[in-house]
């Protein structure tokens, strides 16, 4: 049984969302682990201060991760547009060259035919 295209699109989006969620959780856990390691190097902190340092460090790390990911997504969009523009330009040039070559070939064939008809008379 085949699923409809809409169902496949919905499933693909759902999987992408799940993957994004799991990736975000992994980043958050890594940030928290680093924050804990950082705060552990400050033994004079009280428990509340330790938790505040961990919380602030984790929040800063997540904000940095978000900025990096957003910049990466933006750059991907820019590159996609650059490559699309370049592809369109190359495709246009190729089409022009093929058209010119075909017209030259047709002109040569027409000339050759006219010459042959003239000689045959």
């Amino acid at each position: 049984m085949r699923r409809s295209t809409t169902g496949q699109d919905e499933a693909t989006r759902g999987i992408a969302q799940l993957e994004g969620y799991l990736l975000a959780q992994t980043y958050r856990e890594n940030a928290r682990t680093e924050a804990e390691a950082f705060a552990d190097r400050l033994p004079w902190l009280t428990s509340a201060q330790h938790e505040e340092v961990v919380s602030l460090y984790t929040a800063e790390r997540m904000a940095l991760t978000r900025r990096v990911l957003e910049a990466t997504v933006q750059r991907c969009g820019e590159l996609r547009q650059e490559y699309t523009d370049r592809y369109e330009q190359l495709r246009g040039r190729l089409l022009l060259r093929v058209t010119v070559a075909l017209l030259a070939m047709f002109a040569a064939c027409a000339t050759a035919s006219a010459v042959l008809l003239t000689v045959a008379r």
Side-chain angles (χ1 to χ4, degrees):
M1 172 187 264
R2 284 187 73 203
R3 290 188 294 177
S4 69
T5 303
T6 304
Q8 289 174 347
D9 292 344
E10 188 176 318
T12 300
R13 279 194 304 274
I15 290 170
Q17 285 178 336
L18 178 59
E19 183 180 27
Y21 173 79
L22 293 173
L23 189 58
Q25 292 306 310
T26 300
Y27 283 141
R28 186 176 312 284
E29 185 59 37
N30 289 343
R32 179 131 181 112
T33 299
E34 288 178 17
E36 289 285 348
F38 176 75
D40 287 346
R41 292 191 314 228
L42 308 172
W44 59 86
L45 295 176
T46 65
S47 295
Q49 290 171 331
H50 184 276
E51 279 306 309
E52 185 174 358
V53 167
V54 168
S55 177
L56 290 172
Y57 185 105
T58 302
E60 284 299 315
R61 178 66 189 278
M62 292 305 294
L64 173 64
T65 299
R66 176 176 287 282
R67 287 192 305 270
V68 168
L69 288 173
E70 287 172 350
T72 301
V73 166
Q74 180 180 356
R75 184 62 182 143
C76 285
E78 291 168 358
L79 286 173
R80 177 179 290 129
Q81 188 60 50
E82 287 176 27
Y83 286 127
T84 299
D85 293 345
R86 182 69 176 147
Y87 171 78
E88 291 294 328
Q89 184 183 43
L90 291 172
R91 192 173 75 172
R93 285 183 185 171
L94 179 63
L95 179 62
L96 178 65
R97 288 178 182 174
V98 167
T99 302
V100 167
L102 287 173
L103 288 174
M105 186 177 66
F106 289 139
C109 287
T111 303
S113 295
V115 169
L116 288 175
L117 286 175
T118 303
V119 171
R121 285 188 194 176

